[in-house]
Amino acid sequence: MRGLECRRVIWAGTKGFGGQEGDQGWGRGAGSGQHLPQAAPREGSRGKGVQALGWDMIFSPTESPRILKILQKWIPTVSPYFDKEHYCYADHQITIQESLDHFGAIVWPGALALSQYLESNQQEINLKDKKVLEIGAGTGLVSIVASILGAYVTATDLPEVLENLKLNISRNTQNMNIHQPEVRKLVWGEDLNEDFPKSTHHYDFILASDVVYHHTSLDPLLTTMAYLCQPGTVLLWANKFRFSTDFEFVEKLRNILIVTLLAEFPESNIKLFKATVKEN
């Protein structure tokens, strides 16, 4: 492999700007530019969803999610450029161009968790030659990893994020013998029938990371997830839980889809869910 050596090191924290731990104070999720960040939660608001909704009531105690840590896939480098980060997934070095102009152009912890899970569980989640769409792809890290693992990927986000998204995907996939990803605009809840007609757009997997946080567009996001999930589709969603609204969203999602908690990253407060269409 060219460039830096890929390493696997246990890393208990989550990477924020410049390798800092965590993302407290930022209401933005893992990579989508769908909305502007909100202020940090008020004291006491973190985790209130567990008490308000009752996590045991949302998920049966018979379910046993895997308890994981985020591995250090971020590769420290000596570089004068603050806006580039290097990662290693599936034995490939991935260079991500970040931007402070859009909060969707930053790698957030949910994207790291989902990328790691896809890489580490290829027998359980086989992406080879599968059709995959990522909601709120942001920097494109998850889409790039899915492409390396053999998927036909469509990476989507807001128009203002697409230029950086295309740059990252092109830079990391253009010289590889893989299915070349497609980049498209997708605004939650808008023009779904026109842009993604169900008759011709059936996806095996829908991927999303840190798209749920404290904002006013959770209902359009829910509509988008429900629309894209057809029979046979699997939604994989990783999210750092910051606000009570995050837990409320899970409850709403369970009303329309079958939701399973696949894994938890307790030290990062990230949960990974799998969702499928309910049988009629």
Side-chain angles (χ1 to χ4, degrees):
M1 186 190 72
R2 296 175 182 172
L4 300 174
E5 178 186 2
C6 287
R7 303 187 291 277
R8 288 173 178 257
V9 182
I10 294 296
W11 186 28
T14 57
K15 179 191 157 298
F17 295 116
Q20 298 174 4
E21 281 196 351
D23 66 337
Q24 186 169 0
W26 301 97
R28 179 58 222 142
S32 164
Q34 291 288 344
H35 301 280
L36 292 176
Q38 303 294 326
R42 291 172 298 181
E43 183 177 357
S45 66
R46 276 180 180 266
K48 286 178 70 175
V50 177
Q51 298 175 353
L53 297 178
W55 195 247
D56 290 340
M57 294 177 63
I58 296 180
F59 291 98
S60 167
T62 60
E63 297 178 2
S64 299
R66 300 173 188 176
I67 306 301
L68 304 172
K69 286 185 177 181
I70 291 183
L71 302 178
Q72 182 180 327
K73 297 294 186 165
W74 170 63
I75 304 174
T77 59
V78 179
S79 171
Y81 302 104
F82 171 76
D83 59 350
K84 288 185 180 179
E85 299 291 356
H86 301 273
Y87 300 88
C88 181
Y89 290 97
D91 297 323
H92 286 79
Q93 181 179 319
I94 300 172
T95 301
I96 295 295
Q97 176 88 31
E98 295 184 317
S99 172
L100 297 181
D101 294 336
H102 299 288
F103 286 87
I106 298 167
V107 176
W108 295 90
L112 303 179
L114 183 52
S115 296
Q116 175 181 318
Y117 196 88
L118 294 176
E119 176 196 36
S120 303
N121 297 275
Q122 295 180 47
Q123 290 187 336
E124 174 191 352
I125 303 172
N126 181 11
L127 298 182
K128 180 68 174 177
D129 295 329
K130 299 298 193 303
K131 292 188 67 176
V132 172
L133 182 142
E134 184 182 5
I135 300 173
T139 63
L141 177 61
V142 173
S143 287
I144 293 166
V145 172
S147 296
I148 292 173
L149 295 176
Y152 292 91
V153 175
T154 300
T156 70
D157 213 311
L158 287 176
E160 58 265 31
V161 181
L162 295 187
E163 182 178 356
N164 190 62
L165 175 58
K166 289 178 181 177
L167 172 66
N168 283 326
I169 287 181
S170 175
R171 169 187 289 152
N172 289 284
T173 64
Q174 63 182 350
N175 295 322
M176 298 179 62
N177 185 25
I178 61 175
H179 307 304
Q180 290 302 302
E182 178 185 16
V183 177
R184 294 189 59 183
K185 178 193 76 171
L186 194 164
V187 180
W188 300 338
E190 295 186 11
D191 301 323
L192 296 175
N193 289 314
E194 293 80 5
D195 295 339
F196 298 89
K198 290 187 176 183
S199 60
T200 56
H201 291 72
H202 182 281
Y203 297 96
D204 299 296
F205 291 92
I206 304 299
L207 306 180
S209 58
D210 270 342
V211 291
V212 175
Y213 51 98
H214 192 61
H215 59 71
T216 59
S217 293
L218 291 180
D219 287 340
L221 173 59
L222 191 68
T223 298
T224 301
M225 287 181 168
Y227 176 85
L228 293 171
C229 286
Q230 300 185 54
T233 301
V234 174
L235 167 65
L236 297 174
W237 162 45
N239 218 88
K240 178 165 183 173
F241 278 69
R242 307 166 175 87
F243 305 95
S244 61
T245 49
D246 301 345
F247 295 92
E248 292 166 6
F249 183 88
V250 176
E251 187 177 37
K252 290 181 179 179
L253 188 64
R254 282 177 60 87
N255 289 333
I256 59 175
L257 299 174
I258 300 172
V259 181
T260 303
L261 181 60
L262 285 184
E264 294 188 82
F265 300 76
E267 295 184 6
S268 307
N269 206 23
I270 294 171
K271 302 181 188 298
L272 174 61
F273 300 95
K274 170 185 176 180
T276 56
V277 173
K278 291 184 177 181
E279 297 181 2
N280 294 328

